Amino acid sequence: MPAMELSNSNDNPAEQFKIEANEAFKAHKYSHAIDLYTRAIELAPENAVYWANRAFAHTKLEEYGSAIQDATKAIEINPRYSKGYYRRGAAYLAMGKFKDALKDFQQVKKICPNDPDATKKLKECEKAVMKLKFEDAISAPQSERRSVADFIDYRSIEVEPKYTGARIEGDIVTLDFVKAMMEDFKNQKNLHKRYAYQIVLQTREMLRSLPSLVDISVPEGKHFTVCGDVHGQFYDLLNIFELNGLPSEDNPYLFNGDFVDRGSFSVEVILTLFAFKCMSPSAMYLARGNHESKSMNKIYGFEGEVRSKLSEKFVELFAEVFCCLPLAHVINEKIFVVHGGLFSVDGVKLADIRAIDRFCEPPEEGLMCELLWSDPQPQPGRGPSKRGVGLAFGGDVTKRFLEDNNLDLVVRSHEVKDKGYEIDHDGKLITVFSAPNYCDQMGNEGAFIRFESPALKPNIVTFSAVPHPEVMPMAYANNFLRMFS
């Protein structure tokens, strides 16, 4: 299938907008491409190509809900238009809705029986659905499952004499060890499984004891740094520490979810963040993002990377530890920090968030889902999510939530921003995203926010991507997903 449907003529204004949109798409300016496709659609709403092309641009921005809507519209206009089914199937795949995707690719195959590309993708999708059915069939009910951590004794694992990497002496994770480990990772060396188990198990114990909403106190004269999504971009994480100093009790950080997936150095990122948590719990705070979940890790590369660099047992262990991550933080009773956003109902209090039983995979609705998945919108009120999960919420929703809980500001992450950050809702909401040149193609800056106590005025620092070894993003992702991206 060609990447983008091209125009036959540029005689009319709608076609001209499409040509410009295609150029913007090729330049990775997906938001601008969407605006231009929208203008083409406004002039010629019955042109299925414009809807399918806009669906593809939405997919590139991870707006899978909007992509499905647009592709569905293309199919309604022309039920024989294979590209409509193709785009919708790809969006369903990206959301982990394999059965829905399979139906659409079967339709593509029916319309284009001799297309080898359609045949290949249908086979990949069929394999993925069969694999999921098999995994569901052999998995034990939740109530009968024992923690994988109960079966791991890291002290009994021998470290071979030939191992020359970083070592933990005894039970204490020291700064010297973390520095040595980061240097090894920088040189693409793996950490010994014994020490990886030790870090992950110690972090699990710490996270299990925390509430679902964690209060952070920043003393007067001290500062605190909030980072957004890092998404497996280890070399950019090192750059954050270069710019802002290593985590310590005097230089504490909160990483606001989505540590893993997409980028192909997710193991290095998660072990570094967890090691700092072990070294000094008050130097490193960690929140759950929507990508700290089995379904996302299965699709977007973390699961495959863990298998490649560590082992199958670590896949289960990380899934378990991710269920222990807190869902939100409050800094000095004034700043609410969460990965995604706010809620489908008014009147949610901090006590309601504290009361969430978070020790599970994220549900598809409810407070926990919305904390991890929701996004702000410019217009007031609430609307459907562009992602197809969670919701979009306006400035009035943000204002009411802050007033109800005597808070001043919402800080959230979850969305790529050109400058690495964006301030919305009359200054009451800041999005911070810390993965510059996301997926090696978005060209965005990264950012982090430093808050100085007692004023807690946000000081936003932006930075550019740094070079990394030639390992593509999504290098460990499922074959079938890479085929559609």
Side-chain angles (χ1 to χ4, degrees):
M1 288 260 169
M4 189 64 64
E5 193 93 354
L6 294 172
S7 168
N8 293 323
S9 87
N10 55 9
D11 297 339
N12 66 62
E15 279 294 301
Q16 193 55 46
F17 280 129
K18 186 184 77 168
I19 291 165
E20 290 174 28
N22 288 354
E23 291 305 313
F25 185 99
K26 286 176 198 163
H28 307 305
K29 295 177 179 173
Y30 303 117
S31 294
H32 185 46
I34 287 168
D35 291 341
L36 290 164
Y37 288 132
T38 301
R39 294 179 76 174
I41 287 166
E42 284 164 356
L43 292 170
E46 294 306 306
N47 188 314
V49 172
Y50 301 164
W51 291 95
N53 281 10
R54 194 173 72 173
F56 195 17
H58 279 303
T59 299
K60 289 292 189 180
L61 290 178
E62 301 175 24
E63 296 170 354
Y64 304 121
S66 296
I68 288 164
Q69 283 180 339
D70 278 0
T72 301
K73 182 67 179 174
I75 292 163
E76 286 169 4
I77 292 166
N78 181 359
R80 296 285 303 162
Y81 182 44
S82 63
K83 190 68 70 70
Y85 296 101
Y86 187 91
R87 295 290 175 234
R88 191 171 69 181
Y92 278 135
L93 260 189
M95 292 178 73
K97 296 189 173 183
F98 301 113
K99 289 173 188 171
D100 291 318
L102 183 58
K103 285 178 195 164
D104 278 337
F105 291 123
Q106 285 167 340
Q107 202 63 37
V108 173
K109 176 70 175 155
K110 203 179 285 182
I111 296 166
C112 311
N114 301 318
D115 183 342
D117 188 53
T119 305
K120 186 178 175 188
K121 289 186 165 81
L122 177 60
K123 278 184 181 163
E124 286 291 336
C125 204
E126 284 170 341
K127 275 192 334 202
V129 171
M130 289 303 293
K131 185 168 180 278
L132 279 177
K133 282 182 179 170
F134 177 70
E135 286 171 355
D136 285 346
I138 62 169
S139 66
Q142 190 72 41
S143 57
E144 294 174 22
R145 285 181 203 162
R146 281 189 63 190
S147 164
V148 66
D150 295 343
F151 300 97
I152 300 164
D153 175 14
Y154 68 83
R155 290 181 181 85
S156 69
I157 299 171
E158 189 183 339
V159 180
E160 304 81 1
K162 66 178 181 183
Y163 175 72
T164 58
R167 292 170 180 260
I168 302 172
E169 304 299 336
D171 289 334
I172 307 299
V173 174
T174 64
L175 178 59
D176 285 343
F177 163 76
V178 182
K179 283 180 176 175
M181 180 185 73
M182 288 193 299
E183 190 61 30
D184 284 349
F185 286 162
K186 193 174 170 183
N187 296 316
Q188 293 185 275
K189 294 179 185 171
N190 288 342
L191 181 67
H192 196 281
K193 288 187 181 68
R194 181 197 197 280
Y195 306 123
Y197 273 129
Q198 183 172 344
I199 289 165
V200 179
L201 290 167
Q202 285 185 10
T203 303
R204 174 180 174 270
E205 286 308 302
M206 268 181 256
L207 295 176
R208 281 175 78 196
S209 66
L210 296 172
S212 291
L213 174 68
V214 174
D215 289 292
I216 297 169
S217 177
V218 184
E220 192 165 333
K222 299 289 186 180
H223 64 267
F224 189 87
T225 301
V226 178
C227 295
D229 305 35
V230 180
H231 272 303
Q233 296 185 197
F234 176 69
Y235 294 83
D236 294 305
L237 174 66
L238 292 182
N239 188 39
I240 291 171
F241 295 150
E242 281 284 321
L243 296 169
N244 196 55
L246 291 174
S248 68
E249 287 187 16
D250 288 327
N251 190 35
Y253 283 81
L254 163 57
F255 280 82
N256 196 29
D258 283 13
F259 323 123
V260 301
D261 280 339
R262 297 283 190 182
S264 295
F265 303 95
S266 292
V267 166
E268 290 82 354
V269 166
I270 198 68
L271 289 176
T272 298
L273 297 179
F274 280 8
F276 275 118
K277 185 71 180 169
C278 294
M279 180 197 85
S280 175
S282 59
M284 178 63 69
Y285 294 84
L286 300 165
R288 193 171 193 174
N290 62 303
H291 275 267
E292 277 70 54
S293 72
K294 273 186 192 175
S295 60
M296 293 290 106
N297 297 162
K298 201 178 283 296
I299 301 170
Y300 290 100
F302 184 58
E303 189 177 292
E305 187 182 338
V306 171
R307 269 199 201 94
S308 173
K309 293 177 181 175
L310 292 166
S311 71
E312 182 68 41
K313 194 174 280 187
F314 271 99
V315 172
E316 294 177 62
L317 184 59
F318 276 117
E320 207 173 275
V321 178
F322 288 166
C323 291
C324 301
L325 286 161
L327 302 177
H329 293 75
V330 174
I331 303 171
N332 285 9
E333 301 181 354
K334 287 297 172 194
I335 300 170
F336 180 71
V337 189
V338 66
H339 179 72
L342 300 181
F343 311 103
S344 54
V345 292
D346 286 334
V348 175
K349 295 295 181 72
L350 297 182
D352 299 319
I353 300 168
R354 251 181 263 281
I356 295 171
D357 179 3
R358 70 184 189 277
F359 297 97
C360 60
E361 288 300 312
E364 291 194 11
E365 57 185 14
L367 296 187
M368 181 171 168
C369 169
E370 290 162 4
L371 285 163
L372 299 181
W373 279 96
S374 293
D375 295 294
Q377 64 180 20
Q379 62 271 34
R382 295 177 171 91
S385 166
K386 295 175 291 190
R387 301 172 189 270
V389 189
L391 70 143
F393 59 96
D396 54 333
V397 175
T398 300
K399 186 168 180 274
R400 275 197 300 273
F401 173 76
L402 292 173
E403 285 171 355
D404 286 350
N405 290 285
N406 195 26
L407 296 163
D408 294 339
L409 178 69
V410 173
V411 174
R412 44 88 63 181
S413 304
H414 195 39
E415 284 183 286
V416 187
K417 298 295 177 185
D418 286 345
K419 295 178 182 174
Y421 73 97
E422 191 165 273
I423 301 172
D424 291 300
H425 296 177
D426 297 323
K428 296 292 185 186
L429 181 143
I430 303 176
T431 298
V432 59
F433 191 84
S434 303
N437 194 24
Y438 180 48
C439 293
D440 284 0
Q441 63 168 270
M442 297 299 282
N444 60 292
E445 297 280 285
F448 55 81
I449 310 175
R450 269 174 72 112
F451 292 98
E452 310 279 341
S453 181
L456 296 182
K457 183 174 175 291
N459 175 27
I460 301 171
V461 179
T462 62
F463 56 95
S464 299
V466 296
H468 64 74
E470 287 188 24
V471 184
M472 295 282 288
M474 305 275 284
Y476 300 92
N478 271 318
N479 279 338
F480 63 84
L481 190 70
R482 284 209 303 276
M483 294 165 84
F484 299 93
S485 54

